Amino acid sequence: MNDDSIKIMSLLDELEELIKSSGKMPFSEKGIIDLDVAEKIIEDMRLNLPRDIQQAKWLGQEKDRIINDAKREYNRMINEAKDQVEYLVNNNSIYKDAQKRADAIIKEAENHANYMKYRSYEYIDQLLYDMQNDIANVGNTYIQPMTEYFAEMLSNINSRVNQNRQEMKTLAERVQLGEPPAEPAAETPAE
């Protein structure tokens, strides 16, 4: 586990502690948390994401740079071929040889440019593939457990609210029937 992963885990623990230690709203099981503290923790989490995610912008720039380099090299070779052809055309004695040489240079330049493009795309694809795996690992390692924790927490809160509603309905029915209301059940401690 690298330093960024350790820092993320520490921040997740800090966020969990903030949620667990939050005060409760009167007559409700809903918690109250300090939004400034929560936002600061989330910002720290963003700043400590694995470097692969932070380098996503760099990958786009690197791809553009590689493609532009390939285009410049292609254009340089084409211009060199044109200059060579023009020189040879001006010297009629070797016109046919010049035409063959020019065609070969153009073909070589096109092949080289295509090869450079292919290698650039292949390199960028590998970088994106690695980044995609890293993002999936971040999701599986951090996001999914956090989502499951929040889903369980919300389910527990919903269950408690439902119990309170049922108790209120029972009390209302007793009052409507003229029966004395029963003492409310002792509240179970929050988990």
Side-chain angles (χ1 to χ4, degrees), residues 66-118:
I66 290 170
I67 290 172
N68 287 335
D69 286 350
K71 286 179 182 177
R72 275 194 298 277
E73 179 67 13
Y74 171 80
N75 288 333
R76 185 192 66 75
M77 292 178 86
I78 292 295
N79 288 334
E80 184 179 300
K82 286 179 182 178
D83 291 345
Q84 184 72 21
V85 167
E86 188 176 325
Y87 171 77
L88 295 174
V89 166
N90 290 335
N91 296 310
N92 276 336
S93 62
I94 52 173
Y95 175 75
K96 288 182 182 179
D97 290 338
Q99 186 64 43
K100 288 179 184 177
R101 177 80 176 126
D103 291 343
I105 290 172
I106 290 172
K107 183 69 174 170
E108 181 183 340
E110 288 172 350
N111 288 341
H112 184 71
N114 286 335
Y115 175 76
M116 292 293 289
K117 284 181 188 177
Y118 170 77

Side-chain angles (χ1 to χ4, degrees), residues 109-155:
E110 288 172 350
N111 288 341
H112 184 71
N114 286 335
Y115 175 76
M116 292 293 289
K117 284 181 188 177
Y118 170 77
R119 294 296 294 166
S120 298
Y121 294 147
E122 192 176 63
Y123 170 73
I124 292 169
D125 179 59
Q126 183 61 47
L127 290 176
L128 291 173
Y129 175 79
D130 293 342
M131 187 173 73
Q132 190 177 25
N133 285 334
D134 290 341
I135 289 170
N137 287 337
V138 167
N140 291 335
T141 303
Y142 303 112
I143 305 302
Q144 184 179 3
M146 188 168 56
T147 301
E148 290 169 359
Y149 171 78
F150 285 131
E152 182 181 341
M153 183 177 67
L154 290 174
S155 176

